[in-house]
Amino acid sequence: MALKHEPTAPYHSAQDALRVLETVARHSTGITDTELARHTTLSPERLTGLLRMLRREGYVEQGADGAYVTGEALTRLGSARDGEDALREKLQRTLDRLRDSVGAAVYISRYVDGEVKVTQYADSPAAPAVNEWVDFRYSAHATAVGKSLLTQLDHNGRRDHLARHKMARLTSRTITSDKLLLSRLEAQPPTVPVLDLQEYAVGTVCAAVPITAGASVGCLALSLPVEHAHRLKQAADALNRNAAPVLLSLAI
C-alpha cells in the first residue's frame, strides 16, 4: 500500500517538537531556551510555543535555573516495559483534554491491515460519542474518519478498499458512487479537515484531520450532535491546531 505524503501543519509542528526533544535529551544536565534556539535554528516565537506544549505534555521540565531537561512522560514512553501502556494513557489524557477544549467527542483512528479501526476515544455526557450503528470498517465512504484515512492512501489503495467494501446508502446524504467519492478524495487538501454532514448517521456531524506518522496512516476526529453543527468548523480548526501532541506521542 502506497501513501500520499503531503505534510500538514501538525506534522511540521511534531517534527519541530521532536528536534527540540532530541536536543534536550542530548544535554542531560539541562539546556536553556537560548541554546535550544541556536541548536534547532527555530525562531524564538516558534520555540516558545513548542516548549509550552512540551511542558504541558510532560515531555520536558524546566528547572529553577531556567534550563530544560527531559520529563517523566518521555521517560515512560521510552521504557520497553511501560511504553505501550504509557502511550495509551498519554493519548487518553490528551484526548480527554482535547474533548473538553473543543466541546466534542474525539477519536483516534488508524488504517490497520486494510481496515478502519478506531483505537481510542474520549466522550462525556456533554460530548456524546457517535452511535456506531454500522461498523466503521464497512462505512469508510460515509464517515469523516474513513474519508480522512482514505485520502492518505494512493489511488490504488483507495480503489482496493472500496472494492472490498460495498458503498451502502446509510442516509439520504451518503455518497454511493465510487467515481464521485474518489474524485472528492483526490481533491481534498491535506490541510483542510474532512467533513461528514449526516452522511453516516442522521443527527450527527463529524470532522477529521490526518495524523500520519511514518508509514502509519491515522486521523484525529470529532463528532457533534447536528444541533451543534454551527460549531463544526471552529471545532475542526481547533482539532487541527491541537493534533500535534497526538502525532508527537505516536512518533516518539
Side-chain angles (χ1 to χ4, degrees):
M1 176 186 67
L3 309 184
K4 283 181 64 183
H5 277 293
E6 297 180 74
T8 59
Y11 174 86
H12 287 303
S13 292
Q15 289 297 103
D16 287 346
L18 277 173
R19 281 167 60 197
V20 174
L21 268 182
E22 287 164 358
T23 306
V24 172
R26 284 199 303 270
H27 294 77
S28 56
T29 57
I31 182 171
T32 66
D33 51 3
T34 303
E35 291 170 323
L36 274 169
R38 189 172 70 250
H39 282 286
T40 61
T41 67
L42 294 168
S43 70
E45 183 182 12
R46 176 75 164 158
L47 182 60
T48 297
L50 290 169
L51 285 170
R52 188 183 303 121
M53 184 263 281
L54 290 169
R55 287 176 65 186
R56 186 183 69 233
E57 297 294 325
Y59 291 131
V60 301
E61 295 170 2
Q62 189 174 23
D65 60 354
Y68 290 90
V69 294
T70 54
E72 184 183 348
L74 185 65
T75 304
R76 284 203 67 202
L77 285 179
S79 164
R81 182 168 58 86
D82 299 330
E84 196 169 320
D85 289 341
L87 175 60
R88 190 165 187 84
E89 290 169 16
K90 185 77 186 66
L91 288 172
Q92 194 60 50
R93 286 195 296 274
T94 302
L95 288 179
D96 289 346
R97 188 166 59 240
L98 196 51
R99 172 202 61 206
D100 295 340
S101 67
V102 302
V106 292
Y107 315 77
I108 293 177
S109 184
R110 311 292 287 276
Y111 197 69
V112 182
D113 297 328
E115 301 294 350
V116 172
K117 183 178 182 182
V118 174
T119 54
Q120 275 179 264
Y121 69 95
D123 65 347
S124 70
V130 65
N131 173 36
E132 189 180 352
W133 75 283
V134 176
D135 193 317
F136 290 141
R137 290 177 297 173
Y138 309 125
S139 52
H141 64 292
T143 65
V145 158
K147 289 186 287 183
S148 179
L149 295 174
L150 291 177
T151 62
Q152 297 173 63
L153 307 182
D154 65 9
H155 184 74
N156 290 336
R158 296 169 191 161
R159 291 202 71 90
D160 171 72
H161 185 92
L162 297 179
R164 290 184 287 109
H165 297 294
K166 178 177 168 56
M167 295 172 61
R169 185 176 298 282
L170 307 182
T171 76
S172 62
R173 293 172 176 262
T174 307
I175 296 174
T176 56
S177 160
D178 58 349
K179 185 177 179 180
L180 177 58
L181 181 65
L182 287 168
S183 69
R184 291 198 178 178
L185 293 176
E186 189 64 39
Q188 175 71 31
T191 55
V192 177
V194 178
L195 303 181
D196 156 21
L197 305 176
Q198 301 190 85
E199 295 166 57
Y200 172 74
V202 173
T204 302
V205 294
C206 306
V209 296
I211 49 170
T212 304
S216 173
V217 170
C219 73
L220 188 61
L222 64 81
S223 65
L224 287 167
V226 71
E227 55 265 30
H228 293 285
H230 61 283
R231 292 203 296 113
L232 184 62
K233 185 181 185 306
Q234 183 181 12
D237 289 343
L239 187 76
N240 206 8
R241 287 196 306 273
N242 290 281
V246 177
L247 185 51
L248 181 60
S249 296
L250 294 171
I252 289 173

